[in-house]
Amino acid sequence: MRQHHRTLRLLGSLLLVATGVSATGAAPARPAPSTPLDRVVPAPASVAPGGSPYRITPDTHIRVDDSGEARRVGEYLAAVLRPSTGYRLPVTTRGGGGIRLRLAKGPFGAEGYRLDSGRKGVTLTAAEPAGLFHGVQTLRQLLPAAVEKDSVQPGPWLVAGGTIKDTPRYGWRGAMLDVSRHFFTVDQVKRYIDQLALYKINKLHLHLSDDQGWRIAIDSWPRLATYRGSTQVGGGPGGHYTKADYQEIVRYASSRYLEVVPEIDMPGHTNAALASYAELNCDGVAPALYTGTEVGFSSLCVGKEITYDFVDDVIRELAALTPGAYLHIGGDEAHSTSHEDYVKFMDRVQPIVAGYGKTVIGWHQLTGATPAKGALAQYWGLDGTGAEEKERVAAAARGGTGIILSPADRIYLDMKYTADTPLGLDWAGLVEVKRSYDWDPGDYLPGAPASAVRGVEAPLWTETISKSADIEYMAFPRLAGVAELGWSPAATHDWDAYKVRLAAQGPRWEALGIGYYRSPQVPWPAQRG
Ligand code: TNX
């Protein structure tokens, strides 16, 4: 009898596995099987499937080490799992089987983790809480997509057996949000942070100022925010972050293990500042507020001393709000600043950043001046960018400037997917999902040593983007590919395998209420309901 049962059970699980292969949307007659251990984005560094799956049940506990941060990651996981499973999932430091989050020495680095899954439980091990957090994101993807819903779902909640060992390729896996062209509220930014965290993105770069808006309160220059926060592209009401708002964003990001990198774009892209304070203009006349989308027409007055008082005040106040190591000073498209003035300006401003204990980041035009020691340059050229410009950046890289790769015709999330994409721009070309994924940051910039590349970052400029649904439609699915370029070993890079893993994200996004672009390049399962 026992034997018979076991045979039946075996047959049952074989059946489950069999139906699982064709998870193409036709409602399965049986509950979904466990997700294969390697169906994760970004692809883990190594996956060894095997052994029995673990099943989360009403008795599962989430056991954590007795550390505040480990407990917080445990509570975060519980908050993901409770609504859909309907289970209590107490977070405990003693006893209780099931899911375990352990901090331990090991070959994990600052962000890596190991996941062991078997009949008795799932254990995540990491050297740092960030690793546990990233491991939790992997665990989410191993559970059925319905786990992301906010109402009780039937389950069962199986995690395939085996081991994942995972560490990132790059320490810089960023996303930039332009809150200047259109303003986004603290809640909208938090929503994006949660989405970035799903894919182990660890930097949130906020483009806080531009011609169309100044979005951060600066006490010593209050009109920046109150006057120049007051509108946006198209003439809408705009807005700005108070210091408390901004600190709330920083705190929330850090609870998701993202570092916020604030950018004040200078010396161009500064109409917002120039409009707020007449004295910052060379001719002493404040220009009108600007709500269009042209670039390259504004410049701080490089010859005036007050310019540097202004920059010092802004950088001091911003540095005080920034626990992270970096301040981004822009430096792109300074078409209204002479080359000589640009170099002079950067020579004066970079030491100010260092003086407040921060490391400079600039758009790659900074390499046309003299990047400070330790500075990072963010490359936003195209495949077709001239050899001379690429070589200037590569030479800086050889000289020690770190490079963040944001090639516009690959990972600018504001580029249209196709000519029919209702949002976005196309100056860098049309960027379908495959094009966005199919390149290697390691050998992208000719002549730049691979060791100079710190990672990748996907900017989202918002001339045409004004609500969360717009952000999501442009970011998904491309953002997942950028995350994979930043996290996964080059050896895992393979479009045909990637598109299958990517397709499995579709139902997760649907469960999370993320409206994404259903690219015909990706074999999405049929949509339900
Ligand atoms: C170029 S990329 C810009 C931005 C625009 C963007 C639109 C860069 C550093 N500057 O000012 O918003 O193109 O795609």
Side-chain angles (χ1 to χ4, degrees):
M1 188 65 188
R2 252 224 183 118
Q3 185 60 42
H4 180 64
H5 257 128
R6 204 183 296 147
T7 314
L8 264 183
R9 226 190 296 142
L10 220 155
L11 258 175
S13 46
L14 280 176
L15 248 173
L16 287 182
V17 170
T19 51
V21 176
S22 66
T24 47
R30 300 225 153 225
S34 57
T35 301
L37 217 55
D38 60 0
R39 196 163 294 171
V40 172
V41 177
S46 94
V47 177
S52 317
Y54 173 64
R55 180 174 184 157
I56 301 177
T57 70
D59 296 327
T60 298
H61 287 48
I62 297 176
R63 185 168 161 198
V64 297
D65 284 1
D66 200 0
S67 112
E69 279 208 76
R71 172 173 281 279
R72 260 200 283 133
V73 177
E75 290 292 354
Y76 169 93
L77 173 61
V80 171
L81 302 180
R82 280 174 189 146
S84 51
T85 61
Y87 305 157
R88 279 180 52 241
L89 300 170
V91 178
T92 63
T93 48
R94 263 175 300 161
I99 300 173
R100 170 121 204 244
L101 308 185
R102 277 179 64 224
L103 289 169
K105 291 213 171 73
F108 310 113
E111 296 190 288
Y113 65 93
R114 173 182 167 127
L115 179 150
D116 295 288
S117 170
R119 194 175 53 76
K120 287 195 177 144
V122 175
T123 300
L124 288 170
T125 314
E128 302 289 339
L132 292 179
F133 185 80
H134 296 320
V136 160
Q137 304 308 329
T138 296
L139 178 56
R140 285 169 86 163
Q141 289 189 31
L142 295 175
L143 289 162
V147 79
E148 302 296 347
K149 297 200 175 171
D150 56 13
S151 58
V152 177
Q153 305 294 314
W157 308 106
L158 292 173
V159 181
T163 295
I164 292 177
K165 294 179 192 161
D166 206 6
T167 51
R169 180 180 184 188
Y170 293 113
W172 194 288
R173 305 179 307 279
M176 187 213 81
L177 183 63
D178 169 9
V179 296
S180 175
R181 269 55 175 271
H182 279 96
F183 181 66
F184 294 87
T185 63
V186 173
D187 282 344
Q188 287 173 313
V189 175
K190 285 182 176 176
R191 182 173 164 91
Y192 197 40
I193 288 170
D194 279 330
Q195 294 165 356
L196 298 173
L198 292 170
Y199 296 98
K200 307 183 173 78
I201 297 284
N202 67 352
K203 310 282 180 205
L204 174 67
H205 167 181
L206 290 175
H207 185 75
L208 290 169
S209 72
D210 212 302
D211 293 317
Q212 298 87 344
W214 187 285
R215 305 302 180 198
I216 178 76
I218 299 293
D219 297 337
S220 48
W221 298 76
R223 263 172 69 81
L224 291 170
T226 55
Y227 179 60
R228 218 29 216 106
S230 68
T231 185
Q232 58 187 0
V233 167
H240 72 271
Y241 306 121
T242 64
K243 289 193 169 178
D245 289 339
Y246 188 77
Q247 282 167 316
E248 174 61 13
I249 291 174
V250 170
R251 187 203 61 75
Y252 194 81
S254 113
S255 77
R256 269 71 177 148
Y257 297 91
L258 279 94
E259 175 178 343
V260 175
V261 179
E263 177 189 354
I264 298 295
D265 203 345
M266 306 179 267
H269 290 275
T270 44
N271 192 74
L274 298 168
S276 303
Y277 288 96
E279 58 270 40
L280 292 176
N281 295 269
C282 284
D283 63 3
V285 180
L289 296 177
Y290 184 69
T291 58
T293 60
E294 293 299 314
V295 299
F297 60 87
S298 54
S299 178
L300 290 175
C301 188
V302 172
K304 270 188 166 178
E305 254 336 276
I306 193 173
T307 296
Y308 305 97
D309 297 340
F310 166 77
V311 169
D312 192 290
D313 287 337
V314 168
I315 289 180
R316 183 185 67 253
E317 292 193 33
L318 200 54
L321 292 171
T322 303
Y326 302 95
L327 281 193
H328 202 307
I329 56 172
D332 59 312
E333 297 175 323
H335 306 321
S336 305
T337 319
S338 70
H339 176 68
E340 195 195 351
D341 273 0
Y342 183 84
V343 172
K344 212 190 287 176
F345 181 82
M346 288 304 179
D347 283 350
R348 283 231 24 208
V349 166
Q350 293 183 91
I352 298 176
V353 175
Y356 292 112
K358 300 298 176 189
T359 299
V360 166
I361 307 183
W363 296 105
H364 76 257
Q365 280 72 18
L366 178 63
T367 63
T370 314
K373 198 166 179 304
L376 305 185
Q378 184 167 6
Y379 181 75
W380 60 283
L382 321 178
D383 284 7
T385 291
E388 201 182 312
E389 187 170 348
K390 284 184 176 160
E391 172 50 26
R392 194 161 48 235
V393 181
R398 291 193 296 273
T401 299
I403 306 294
I404 300 164
L405 290 170
S406 301
D409 56 345
R410 299 282 181 177
I411 61 173
Y412 263 33
L413 300 178
D414 61 317
M415 289 301 121
K416 291 176 181 287
Y417 296 98
T418 70
D420 294 334
T421 306
L423 302 166
L425 306 174
D426 61 4
W427 67 264
L430 300 171
V431 184
E432 250 288 8
V433 178
K434 180 169 193 273
R435 176 168 180 78
S436 186
Y437 166 81
D438 222 358
W439 59 286
D440 180 5
D443 68 6
Y444 181 76
L445 199 60
S451 60
V453 177
R454 301 300 165 81
V456 292
E457 183 174 299
L460 180 48
W461 302 98
T462 59
E463 286 94 335
T464 65
I465 308 296
S466 60
K467 38 187 203 292
S468 286
D470 298 348
I471 294 179
E472 289 153 29
Y473 186 77
M474 298 309 275
F476 294 92
R478 289 179 295 199
L479 177 76
V482 178
E484 175 141 330
L485 290 172
W487 180 281
S488 306
T492 64
H493 191 95
D494 175 34
W495 166 254
D496 288 323
Y498 173 66
K499 72 181 181 192
V500 174
R501 285 182 289 109
L502 182 61
Q505 305 302 307
R508 291 175 191 282
W509 297 337
E510 285 154 36
L512 287 163
I514 297 174
Y516 60 101
Y517 165 58
R518 284 178 66 87
S519 166
Q521 298 180 327
V522 180
W524 308 107
Q527 261 168 321
R528 300 197 195 145

